[in-house]
Amino acid sequence: MNIGFIGLGVMGRPMARHLIDAGHTLYVNRVKAASQALVEAGAIACDTPAEVARRSEIVITIVPDTPDVEAVLFGPEGVSEGLQQGALVIDMSSISPVATKAFAERIRAGGGGYVDAPVSGGEVGAKAGTLTIMAGGSEADFARARPLFEIMGKTITHVGEVGDGQTTKVANQIIVGLNIQAVAEALVFAKASGADPAKVREALMGGFADSTILKVHGERMINRTFDPGFRLRLHQKDLDLAVNAARNLNLGLPNTSTVAQLMNAAVGHGEGERDHSALIEVVERLSRP
């Protein structure tokens, strides 16, 4: 198929490459040095999102935040200006569920389809093609999108209507964020008590406290390897979505709110571009005299 792909960042680049390798023709926008290899592999660079849309049956977006999606879709020379009748927009960003529903209504009013399909699995999952994809949209639109999802991901779930994918991703980020905080506190506690955090982590793996976070991010915390698989500032944004939604729904999410504040502190300390496992350094600073 002719596929538009907008958002060639840490996640988008390997996802786009999988689609190229599967034989699809990709039209891309805003090619930078880091994504030049995609053009060399066969992707076709376009000057604007509208041009991408004019040449594509399906347009995939994966950009950082809600305003970025809105700008790509509806800004000057945006996707909506070039979208073919019957074309499908798949937004794989992690953004507001409320805004997602509004975006879908505007795309549908113009004759297109819409699926929200945020992902989990980080850069590692994007490179391996093993992402978890949580999708919202009509049965027909999901069926069109699924063959592409199967190229980029491993666990693919049609959660429900448009917006439900984003709701699922926010729930995912709550669980991941709180687990990162729990592992960070446990390792800080172990070190302060005189134990070897690496040995403590090893002892906990395989028991009831075991988790992917303990395995992957626990190791990052111990080795101080905070090159981003998923940037802390992006997780901060996702927890802000959770806190704001909880306020609108009159929900008490006390631990989510606490971790969101700690991520705010990390970003304020200049750590927003590091991996979210660097949250341990906030815990360490809180404990130092």
Side-chain angles (χ1 to χ4, degrees):
M1 288 189 291
N2 294 324
I3 300 171
F5 200 104
I6 300 173
L8 303 177
V10 170
M11 298 290 289
R13 286 194 299 274
M15 293 165 68
R17 184 57 187 257
H18 288 310
L19 294 172
I20 294 171
D21 290 345
H24 296 290
T25 300
L26 252 64
Y27 296 92
V28 297
N29 180 234
R30 296 187 66 189
V31 176
K32 299 179 180 179
S35 49
Q36 185 61 40
L38 294 173
V39 175
E40 295 169 1
I44 299 168
C46 299
D47 291 334
T48 65
E51 183 185 350
V52 169
R54 277 191 287 269
R55 304 177 74 173
S56 304
E57 304 162 57
I58 294 177
V59 178
I60 297 172
T61 57
I62 179 164
V63 294
D65 205 348
T66 305
D68 302 302
V69 176
E70 184 171 21
V72 165
L73 294 182
F74 306 111
E77 287 293 305
V79 166
S80 61
E81 293 187 15
L83 197 66
Q84 302 178 34
Q85 283 290 312
L88 179 65
V89 172
I90 304 172
D91 180 38
M92 305 188 79
S93 317
S94 296
I95 65 168
S96 163
V98 174
T100 291
K101 293 175 183 179
F103 296 163
E105 288 181 6
R106 294 174 69 179
I107 292 295
R108 287 169 174 169
Y114 198 99
V115 172
D116 62 301
V119 301
S120 180
E123 183 181 8
V124 172
K127 288 182 174 179
T130 58
L131 291 169
T132 294
I133 301 173
M134 45 214 90
S138 71
E139 292 283 356
D141 286 343
F142 175 74
R144 287 181 68 188
R146 181 163 192 132
L148 303 184
F149 293 158
E150 289 173 345
I151 295 168
M152 298 180 284
K154 182 178 180 181
T155 303
I156 301 155
T157 306
H158 185 201
V159 183
E161 295 302 316
V162 166
D164 290 348
Q166 296 295 349
T167 296
T168 305
K169 179 58 185 291
V170 172
N172 179 86
Q173 295 302 78
I174 291 171
I175 293 169
V176 171
L178 269 61
N179 270 275
I180 290 174
Q181 178 66 11
V183 170
E185 290 188 13
L187 295 181
V188 169
F189 168 77
K191 184 175 181 179
S193 299
D196 180 348
K199 291 293 185 183
V200 171
R201 171 180 165 275
E202 182 181 345
L204 295 176
M205 289 193 304
F208 205 55
D210 197 5
S211 68
T212 301
I213 299 297
L214 180 64
K215 287 187 176 77
V216 177
H217 289 332
E219 184 175 30
R220 284 177 175 267
M221 293 172 187
I222 290 165
N223 295 335
R224 320 307 285 189
T225 51
F226 298 132
D227 292 338
F230 187 72
R231 286 175 171 78
L232 204 152
R233 65 174 173 81
L234 296 179
H235 205 148
Q236 175 205 31
K237 176 263 298 181
D238 292 340
L239 290 192
D240 283 346
L241 292 174
V243 170
N244 291 333
R247 185 181 299 111
N248 292 332
L249 294 168
N250 296 316
L251 293 177
L253 302 180
N255 292 325
T256 300
S257 298
T258 297
V259 176
Q261 289 296 327
L262 293 172
M263 288 190 175
N264 289 346
V267 172
H269 205 264
E271 296 166 347
E273 297 302 313
R274 304 174 84 189
D275 188 78
H276 50 176
S277 57
L279 191 65
I280 190 172
E281 297 196 340
V282 178
V283 180
E284 291 169 339
R285 286 195 294 270
L286 287 171
S287 303
R288 290 170 185 159

